[in-house]
Amino acid sequence: MSDFKTIDARDTFCPGPLMELISYMKTAQVGDTLELLSTDNGTASDVPEWIDKVGHEMISSEKIDDVWHLKVRKLK
Amino acid sequence: MSQNYHIVCLSGTREKLQMAAMFASVAAATGDQVTVFFSMNALPFFIKDSNKVPPVEGQFGELMESEIGVPPFKQLFKSAAELGDAKLLPCSMALDLLKIDGDALDPELGPPTGLTRFLNDAEGGQLLTF
């Protein structure tokens, strides 16, 4: 059964949120969904780039009250 | 397609150490092969239990020091090694000048490396200097 985890990386600057996501991605199971919370605008463009390069799935990206919510799924 | 990056880290200022660490961590965690060669004023920050704080060059160094959410450069280099298998190599000449050996450095750092070895390994890859 796949899992859902929220990673709170608010108030940290590039590349802190991305590195947090990568760190959790390493230990997640295939099919798990991770939601990264970030206040760093650069992260909103870096995460889809990273996801695309390494071959996971970008589920959604939205900014709510100055916080980016980036949902991704581990595919491999 | 993965790249092969060789980063030469010489400067002991906050801005350059930070940028080199950012580059190394993101590239390594993205699947690129990363080797960082530490020499000159950059190396003493990686002596075990060193509390040395790098001086800032200008405005951005000051900004980074005032923001608690900026990831420390040593943590980023460590992430590069742990998450992306980056090789962090101390310069053997710099160790000789400091009169210390590789055991005196943080455990993330690999074996003391000479320039000939580093240049041989860097052949065909991209070389970045900070």
Side-chain angles (χ1 to χ4, degrees):
Chain A
M1 175 155 171
S2 58
D3 207 358
F4 179 90
K5 182 162 185 63
T6 298
I7 305 159
D8 188 351
R10 288 175 293 177
D11 301 321
T12 62
F13 293 88
C14 171
L18 177 65
M19 298 310 289
E20 283 273 307
L21 175 65
I22 294 170
S23 177
Y24 278 95
M25 195 66 104
K26 284 252 173 191
T27 56
Q29 303 295 311
V30 171
D32 285 356
T33 298
L34 301 175
E35 181 186 38
L36 179 69
L37 306 184
S38 174
T39 46
D40 178 66
N41 286 319
T43 296
S45 54
D46 273 355
V47 166
E49 286 276 346
W50 181 78
I51 289 290
D52 185 48
K53 180 161 185 187
V54 299
H56 297 302
E57 181 188 356
M58 192 76 216
I59 299 171
S60 62
S61 168
E62 57 179 335
K63 195 176 191 182
I64 305 168
D65 297 332
D66 291 330
V67 178
W68 284 98
H69 294 246
L70 304 160
K71 276 189 200 160
V72 303
R73 183 176 290 120
K74 179 166 175 158
L75 291 188
K76 60 181 189 179
Chain B
M1 192 180 137
S2 76
Q3 303 283 321
N4 194 1
Y5 291 111
H6 292 264
I7 298 171
V8 181
C9 208
L10 306 175
S11 169
T13 65
R14 174 68 192 262
E15 287 90 334
K16 289 202 173 78
L17 286 164
Q18 187 76 23
M19 198 66 223
M22 290 166 68
F23 201 104
S25 58
V26 173
T30 306
D32 293 327
Q33 288 182 50
V34 175
T35 302
V36 189
F37 184 71
F38 294 97
S39 189
M40 304 295 176
N41 296 321
L43 187 62
F45 297 99
F46 299 90
I47 294 173
K48 266 180 201 158
D49 304 322
S50 167
N51 294 320
K52 234 171 117 67
V53 176
V56 302
E57 286 181 351
Q59 181 187 5
F60 273 86
E62 288 166 9
L63 282 170
M64 287 188 295
E65 287 203 327
S66 64
E67 293 281 0
I68 55 168
V70 176
F73 66 88
K74 286 183 71 164
Q75 182 189 311
L76 290 175
F77 279 124
K78 194 174 175 185
S79 295
E82 289 178 353
L83 297 177
D85 296 325
K87 286 189 273 185
L88 310 177
L89 305 174
C91 167
S92 54
M93 177 279 291
L95 287 171
D96 288 345
L97 278 174
L98 288 169
K99 297 184 177 17
I100 56 175
D101 60 28
D103 294 340
L105 301 174
D106 289 335
E108 295 80 43
L109 271 76
T113 302
L115 267 182
T116 309
R117 174 67 188 272
F118 177 76
L119 287 170
N120 278 343
D121 290 350
E123 200 174 328
Q126 296 201 53
L127 192 70
L128 303 162
T129 304
F130 292 89

